Short mmCIF file of all heavy atoms in Angstrom, two decimals:
data_model
loop_
_atom_site.label_atom_id
_atom_site.label_comp_id
_atom_site.label_asym_id
_atom_site.label_seq_id
_atom_site.Cartn_x
_atom_site.Cartn_y
_atom_site.Cartn_z
N GLU J 957 -124.28 12.14 148.99
CA GLU J 957 -125.46 13.01 149.07
C GLU J 957 -126.58 12.26 149.80
O GLU J 957 -127.44 11.61 149.20
CB GLU J 957 -125.90 13.39 147.66
CG GLU J 957 -127.21 14.14 147.57
CD GLU J 957 -127.21 15.39 148.41
OE1 GLU J 957 -127.51 15.31 149.62
OE2 GLU J 957 -126.91 16.45 147.86
N LYS J 959 -128.98 13.41 152.08
CA LYS J 959 -130.16 14.04 152.66
C LYS J 959 -131.47 13.69 151.98
O LYS J 959 -132.46 13.40 152.63
CB LYS J 959 -129.97 15.56 152.70
CG LYS J 959 -128.87 15.96 153.69
CD LYS J 959 -128.84 17.45 153.91
CE LYS J 959 -127.77 17.80 154.95
NZ LYS J 959 -127.73 19.25 155.22
N TYR J 960 -131.49 13.73 150.64
CA TYR J 960 -132.75 13.50 149.95
C TYR J 960 -133.30 12.10 150.24
O TYR J 960 -134.50 11.90 150.33
CB TYR J 960 -132.58 13.67 148.44
CG TYR J 960 -132.18 15.07 148.04
CD1 TYR J 960 -130.92 15.33 147.52
CD2 TYR J 960 -133.06 16.13 148.19
CE1 TYR J 960 -130.55 16.61 147.16
CE2 TYR J 960 -132.70 17.42 147.83
CZ TYR J 960 -131.44 17.65 147.32
OH TYR J 960 -131.08 18.93 146.96
N ARG J 967 -138.26 6.36 157.99
CA ARG J 967 -139.66 5.98 158.23
C ARG J 967 -139.89 4.48 158.15
O ARG J 967 -140.80 3.98 158.78
CB ARG J 967 -140.58 6.69 157.24
CG ARG J 967 -140.69 8.18 157.48
CD ARG J 967 -141.71 8.80 156.53
NE ARG J 967 -141.57 10.23 156.44
CZ ARG J 967 -142.27 11.11 157.16
NH1 ARG J 967 -143.17 10.68 158.00
NH2 ARG J 967 -142.09 12.39 157.01
N ASP J 977 -138.05 -5.84 151.48
CA ASP J 977 -138.47 -4.46 151.73
C ASP J 977 -137.26 -3.54 151.86
O ASP J 977 -137.32 -2.36 151.49
CB ASP J 977 -139.30 -4.37 153.02
CG ASP J 977 -140.73 -4.87 152.81
OD1 ASP J 977 -141.07 -5.19 151.65
OD2 ASP J 977 -141.47 -4.94 153.79
N VAL J 979 -134.51 -3.84 150.15
CA VAL J 979 -134.09 -3.54 148.78
C VAL J 979 -134.97 -2.45 148.19
O VAL J 979 -134.49 -1.48 147.59
CB VAL J 979 -134.15 -4.81 147.90
CG1 VAL J 979 -133.93 -4.47 146.43
CG2 VAL J 979 -133.10 -5.82 148.36
N LYS J 980 -136.29 -2.58 148.41
CA LYS J 980 -137.21 -1.56 147.89
C LYS J 980 -136.91 -0.19 148.50
O LYS J 980 -136.89 0.83 147.81
CB LYS J 980 -138.66 -1.95 148.20
CG LYS J 980 -139.25 -2.91 147.20
CD LYS J 980 -140.75 -3.05 147.37
CE LYS J 980 -141.10 -3.98 148.52
NZ LYS J 980 -142.56 -4.23 148.61
N LEU J 983 -133.81 1.31 147.05
CA LEU J 983 -134.04 1.79 145.68
C LEU J 983 -134.86 3.09 145.69
O LEU J 983 -134.59 4.00 144.91
CB LEU J 983 -134.75 0.71 144.85
CG LEU J 983 -133.88 -0.51 144.49
CD1 LEU J 983 -134.74 -1.62 143.89
CD2 LEU J 983 -132.78 -0.11 143.50
N ARG J 991 -133.60 12.12 141.64
CA ARG J 991 -134.48 13.17 141.16
C ARG J 991 -133.98 14.56 141.52
O ARG J 991 -134.30 15.53 140.85
CB ARG J 991 -135.87 13.03 141.81
CG ARG J 991 -136.73 12.01 141.14
CD ARG J 991 -137.98 11.75 141.98
NE ARG J 991 -138.71 10.66 141.40
CZ ARG J 991 -139.67 10.80 140.50
NH1 ARG J 991 -140.04 11.99 140.13
NH2 ARG J 991 -140.27 9.75 140.01
N ARG J 1016 -125.98 -7.21 141.08
CA ARG J 1016 -126.17 -6.88 139.68
C ARG J 1016 -126.19 -5.38 139.47
O ARG J 1016 -126.34 -4.61 140.41
CB ARG J 1016 -127.49 -7.48 139.18
CG ARG J 1016 -128.71 -6.89 139.85
CD ARG J 1016 -129.95 -7.69 139.48
NE ARG J 1016 -131.12 -7.15 140.16
CZ ARG J 1016 -131.86 -6.17 139.65
NH1 ARG J 1016 -131.56 -5.64 138.49
NH2 ARG J 1016 -132.91 -5.71 140.31
N ASP J 1022 -133.81 -0.02 133.14
CA ASP J 1022 -134.32 -1.18 133.85
C ASP J 1022 -135.83 -1.06 134.10
O ASP J 1022 -136.29 -0.12 134.75
CB ASP J 1022 -133.59 -1.30 135.20
CG ASP J 1022 -133.99 -2.54 135.98
OD1 ASP J 1022 -135.00 -2.49 136.70
OD2 ASP J 1022 -133.29 -3.56 135.84
N GLY J 1024 -137.93 -2.89 135.88
CA GLY J 1024 -138.37 -3.07 137.26
C GLY J 1024 -138.15 -1.81 138.09
O GLY J 1024 -139.03 -1.40 138.86
N ALA J 1027 -140.62 0.83 137.06
CA ALA J 1027 -141.97 0.54 137.57
C ALA J 1027 -142.07 0.91 139.04
O ALA J 1027 -143.07 1.48 139.49
CB ALA J 1027 -142.29 -0.95 137.35
N SER J 1033 -144.06 7.33 142.91
CA SER J 1033 -144.54 8.68 142.60
C SER J 1033 -146.06 8.73 142.68
O SER J 1033 -146.66 9.63 143.28
CB SER J 1033 -144.13 9.09 141.17
OG SER J 1033 -142.80 9.50 141.16
N LEU J 1036 -147.30 8.38 146.27
CA LEU J 1036 -147.10 9.61 147.05
C LEU J 1036 -148.14 10.66 146.69
O LEU J 1036 -148.69 11.32 147.57
CB LEU J 1036 -145.70 10.19 146.80
CG LEU J 1036 -144.54 9.47 147.46
CD1 LEU J 1036 -143.26 10.27 147.25
CD2 LEU J 1036 -144.78 9.29 148.95
N ARG J 1037 -148.42 10.78 145.40
CA ARG J 1037 -149.42 11.78 144.99
C ARG J 1037 -150.79 11.41 145.53
O ARG J 1037 -151.55 12.26 145.99
CB ARG J 1037 -149.45 11.89 143.46
CG ARG J 1037 -148.26 12.64 142.94
CD ARG J 1037 -148.45 13.20 141.55
NE ARG J 1037 -147.13 13.49 141.00
CZ ARG J 1037 -146.44 12.65 140.25
NH1 ARG J 1037 -146.94 11.48 139.92
NH2 ARG J 1037 -145.24 12.98 139.82
N PHE J 1040 -150.86 12.06 149.22
CA PHE J 1040 -150.98 13.50 149.47
C PHE J 1040 -152.42 13.97 149.25
O PHE J 1040 -152.97 14.74 150.05
CB PHE J 1040 -150.03 14.27 148.54
CG PHE J 1040 -150.09 15.75 148.75
CD1 PHE J 1040 -149.46 16.33 149.85
CD2 PHE J 1040 -150.79 16.56 147.88
CE1 PHE J 1040 -149.53 17.70 150.06
CE2 PHE J 1040 -150.87 17.93 148.09
CZ PHE J 1040 -150.24 18.49 149.18
N MET J 1043 -154.62 13.42 152.21
CA MET J 1043 -154.30 14.04 153.51
C MET J 1043 -155.49 14.86 154.01
O MET J 1043 -156.17 15.51 153.23
CB MET J 1043 -153.08 14.96 153.38
CG MET J 1043 -151.75 14.25 153.41
SD MET J 1043 -151.47 13.29 154.91
CE MET J 1043 -151.77 11.64 154.25
N GLU J 1046 -156.66 19.29 157.90
CA GLU J 1046 -156.77 19.63 159.31
C GLU J 1046 -155.49 20.28 159.81
O GLU J 1046 -155.05 20.06 160.91
CB GLU J 1046 -157.08 18.40 160.14
CG GLU J 1046 -156.16 17.21 159.85
CD GLU J 1046 -156.66 15.95 160.50
OE1 GLU J 1046 -157.58 16.04 161.33
OE2 GLU J 1046 -156.13 14.88 160.19
N HIS J 1047 -154.94 21.12 158.93
CA HIS J 1047 -153.72 21.80 159.35
C HIS J 1047 -154.03 22.95 160.29
O HIS J 1047 -153.15 23.47 160.93
CB HIS J 1047 -152.96 22.31 158.13
CG HIS J 1047 -153.72 23.35 157.38
ND1 HIS J 1047 -154.63 23.04 156.41
CD2 HIS J 1047 -153.73 24.69 157.49
CE1 HIS J 1047 -155.15 24.15 155.94
NE2 HIS J 1047 -154.63 25.17 156.57
N CYS J 1048 -155.29 23.34 160.34
CA CYS J 1048 -155.64 24.49 161.19
C CYS J 1048 -155.63 24.09 162.66
O CYS J 1048 -155.88 22.95 163.02
CB CYS J 1048 -157.02 25.02 160.85
SG CYS J 1048 -157.05 25.89 159.29
N GLU P 1361 -132.05 24.84 155.29
CA GLU P 1361 -131.90 23.39 155.10
C GLU P 1361 -132.99 22.91 154.15
O GLU P 1361 -134.08 22.50 154.56
CB GLU P 1361 -132.01 22.70 156.46
CG GLU P 1361 -132.06 21.19 156.39
CD GLU P 1361 -130.87 20.61 155.67
OE1 GLU P 1361 -130.90 20.54 154.44
OE2 GLU P 1361 -129.91 20.22 156.37
N LYS P 1363 -132.89 20.47 151.65
CA LYS P 1363 -132.88 19.18 150.93
C LYS P 1363 -133.95 18.20 151.37
O LYS P 1363 -134.59 17.55 150.56
CB LYS P 1363 -131.49 18.55 151.04
CG LYS P 1363 -130.44 19.35 150.27
CD LYS P 1363 -129.12 18.62 150.19
CE LYS P 1363 -128.11 19.45 149.39
NZ LYS P 1363 -126.82 18.74 149.25
N TYR P 1364 -134.11 18.05 152.70
CA TYR P 1364 -135.07 17.04 153.17
C TYR P 1364 -136.48 17.32 152.68
O TYR P 1364 -137.25 16.41 152.42
CB TYR P 1364 -135.05 16.98 154.69
CG TYR P 1364 -133.73 16.54 155.27
CD1 TYR P 1364 -132.95 17.42 156.00
CD2 TYR P 1364 -133.25 15.25 155.06
CE1 TYR P 1364 -131.73 17.03 156.53
CE2 TYR P 1364 -132.03 14.86 155.57
CZ TYR P 1364 -131.27 15.75 156.31
OH TYR P 1364 -130.06 15.35 156.81
N ARG P 1371 -142.69 16.81 143.83
CA ARG P 1371 -143.69 15.85 143.35
C ARG P 1371 -145.09 16.43 143.26
O ARG P 1371 -145.89 15.98 142.45
CB ARG P 1371 -143.71 14.62 144.26
CG ARG P 1371 -142.48 13.74 144.09
CD ARG P 1371 -142.60 12.50 144.95
NE ARG P 1371 -141.33 11.84 145.17
CZ ARG P 1371 -140.85 10.85 144.41
NH1 ARG P 1371 -141.52 10.42 143.38
NH2 ARG P 1371 -139.70 10.30 144.72
N ASP P 1381 -153.91 22.81 149.24
CA ASP P 1381 -152.91 21.75 149.04
C ASP P 1381 -151.50 22.31 149.17
O ASP P 1381 -150.58 21.61 149.63
CB ASP P 1381 -153.07 21.12 147.65
CG ASP P 1381 -154.25 20.15 147.61
OD1 ASP P 1381 -154.88 19.94 148.67
OD2 ASP P 1381 -154.53 19.63 146.52
N VAL P 1383 -150.62 24.65 151.25
CA VAL P 1383 -150.36 24.73 152.69
C VAL P 1383 -149.97 23.35 153.22
O VAL P 1383 -149.00 23.21 153.98
CB VAL P 1383 -151.60 25.27 153.43
CG1 VAL P 1383 -151.42 25.15 154.94
CG2 VAL P 1383 -151.86 26.72 153.05
N LYS P 1384 -150.71 22.33 152.81
CA LYS P 1384 -150.40 20.97 153.26
C LYS P 1384 -148.99 20.55 152.80
O LYS P 1384 -148.22 19.97 153.58
CB LYS P 1384 -151.42 19.97 152.70
CG LYS P 1384 -152.71 19.91 153.52
CD LYS P 1384 -153.56 18.73 153.11
CE LYS P 1384 -154.32 19.00 151.84
NZ LYS P 1384 -155.27 17.94 151.50
N LEU P 1387 -146.37 22.29 154.84
CA LEU P 1387 -146.28 21.72 156.19
C LEU P 1387 -145.60 20.35 156.16
O LEU P 1387 -144.81 20.02 157.05
CB LEU P 1387 -147.68 21.61 156.80
CG LEU P 1387 -148.32 22.95 157.21
CD1 LEU P 1387 -149.79 22.77 157.54
CD2 LEU P 1387 -147.59 23.59 158.39
N ARG P 1420 -150.50 32.88 161.21
CA ARG P 1420 -150.53 32.41 162.59
C ARG P 1420 -149.30 31.60 162.91
O ARG P 1420 -148.58 31.14 162.03
CB ARG P 1420 -151.78 31.56 162.82
CG ARG P 1420 -151.82 30.29 161.99
CD ARG P 1420 -153.19 29.64 162.08
NE ARG P 1420 -153.20 28.42 161.32
CZ ARG P 1420 -152.83 27.21 161.79
NH1 ARG P 1420 -152.43 27.10 163.02
NH2 ARG P 1420 -152.86 26.15 161.02
N GLY P 1428 -153.72 20.03 164.86
CA GLY P 1428 -153.89 19.88 163.41
C GLY P 1428 -152.58 19.47 162.73
O GLY P 1428 -152.57 18.58 161.88
N ALA P 1431 -151.76 15.90 163.60
CA ALA P 1431 -152.63 14.96 162.87
C ALA P 1431 -152.14 14.80 161.43
O ALA P 1431 -152.08 13.70 160.89
CB ALA P 1431 -154.07 15.45 162.90
N SER P 1437 -147.12 10.08 157.86
CA SER P 1437 -146.26 8.93 158.21
C SER P 1437 -146.98 7.62 157.90
O SER P 1437 -146.41 6.71 157.31
CB SER P 1437 -145.94 8.95 159.71
OG SER P 1437 -144.91 9.86 159.96
N LEU P 1440 -147.35 7.07 154.16
CA LEU P 1440 -146.09 6.67 153.52
C LEU P 1440 -145.79 5.20 153.80
O LEU P 1440 -145.36 4.46 152.91
CB LEU P 1440 -144.93 7.53 154.02
CG LEU P 1440 -144.84 8.95 153.49
CD1 LEU P 1440 -143.55 9.61 153.95
CD2 LEU P 1440 -144.91 8.97 151.96
N ARG P 1441 -146.02 4.80 155.04
CA ARG P 1441 -145.76 3.40 155.37
C ARG P 1441 -146.68 2.47 154.59
O ARG P 1441 -146.26 1.43 154.10
CB ARG P 1441 -145.91 3.18 156.89
CG ARG P 1441 -144.72 3.72 157.65
CD ARG P 1441 -144.61 3.16 159.05
NE ARG P 1441 -143.78 4.06 159.84
CZ ARG P 1441 -144.25 5.06 160.58
NH1 ARG P 1441 -145.54 5.25 160.69
NH2 ARG P 1441 -143.43 5.86 161.24
N PHE P 1444 -145.60 2.38 151.03
CA PHE P 1444 -144.40 1.55 150.90
C PHE P 1444 -144.76 0.07 150.91
O PHE P 1444 -144.26 -0.73 150.12
CB PHE P 1444 -143.41 1.88 152.02
CG PHE P 1444 -142.15 1.07 151.92
CD1 PHE P 1444 -141.19 1.39 150.99
CD2 PHE P 1444 -141.95 -0.03 152.74
CE1 PHE P 1444 -140.03 0.64 150.87
CE2 PHE P 1444 -140.80 -0.79 152.63
CZ PHE P 1444 -139.84 -0.46 151.69
N MET P 1447 -145.92 -1.28 147.64
CA MET P 1447 -145.03 -1.21 146.47
C MET P 1447 -144.86 -2.60 145.86
O MET P 1447 -144.75 -3.58 146.58
CB MET P 1447 -143.65 -0.67 146.86
CG MET P 1447 -143.56 0.84 146.98
SD MET P 1447 -143.99 1.73 145.47
CE MET P 1447 -145.67 2.26 145.90
N ASP P 1449 -143.18 -5.83 144.20
CA ASP P 1449 -141.87 -6.51 144.32
C ASP P 1449 -141.28 -6.69 142.95
O ASP P 1449 -140.99 -7.81 142.53
CB ASP P 1449 -142.06 -7.88 144.98
CG ASP P 1449 -141.78 -7.82 146.47
OD1 ASP P 1449 -140.95 -7.00 146.89
OD2 ASP P 1449 -142.41 -8.58 147.21
N GLU P 1450 -141.10 -5.61 142.23
CA GLU P 1450 -140.66 -5.77 140.84
C GLU P 1450 -139.39 -4.99 140.60
O GLU P 1450 -139.22 -4.36 139.58
CB GLU P 1450 -141.75 -5.32 139.89
CG GLU P 1450 -142.32 -3.95 140.20
CD GLU P 1450 -143.55 -3.65 139.36
OE1 GLU P 1450 -143.83 -4.42 138.43
OE2 GLU P 1450 -144.23 -2.67 139.65
N HIS P 1451 -138.53 -5.03 141.63
CA HIS P 1451 -137.28 -4.31 141.45
C HIS P 1451 -136.31 -5.10 140.57
O HIS P 1451 -135.30 -4.59 140.16
CB HIS P 1451 -136.62 -4.03 142.80
CG HIS P 1451 -136.24 -5.29 143.53
ND1 HIS P 1451 -137.12 -5.95 144.33
CD2 HIS P 1451 -135.10 -5.99 143.54
CE1 HIS P 1451 -136.52 -7.03 144.81
NE2 HIS P 1451 -135.30 -7.06 144.36
N CYS P 1452 -136.64 -6.38 140.35
CA CYS P 1452 -135.71 -7.20 139.57
C CYS P 1452 -135.81 -6.85 138.09
O CYS P 1452 -136.83 -6.42 137.60
CB CYS P 1452 -136.03 -8.68 139.73
SG CYS P 1452 -135.57 -9.30 141.33
N ALA P 1453 -134.71 -7.04 137.39
CA ALA P 1453 -134.72 -6.90 135.94
C ALA P 1453 -135.60 -8.01 135.38
O ALA P 1453 -135.80 -9.04 136.02
CB ALA P 1453 -133.30 -7.00 135.41
#
Side-chain angles (χ1 to χ4, degrees):
Chain J
E957 173 56 275
K959 292 190 177 182
Y960 297 111
R967 290 185 198 264
D977 283 355
V979 171
K980 277 192 280 186
L983 289 170
R991 279 170 187 268
R1016 65 189 179 88
D1022 184 275
S1033 281
L1036 285 187
R1037 285 200 199 93
F1040 181 77
M1043 280 301 103
E1046 49 191 349
H1047 64 274
C1048 288
Chain P
E1361 172 57 276
K1363 292 189 179 182
Y1364 297 112
R1371 288 183 198 267
D1381 283 356
V1383 171
K1384 278 192 282 187
L1387 288 169
R1420 64 191 182 87
S1437 280
L1440 285 187
R1441 284 198 200 92
F1444 181 76
M1447 279 301 102
D1449 263 330
E1450 50 190 350
H1451 64 274
C1452 287

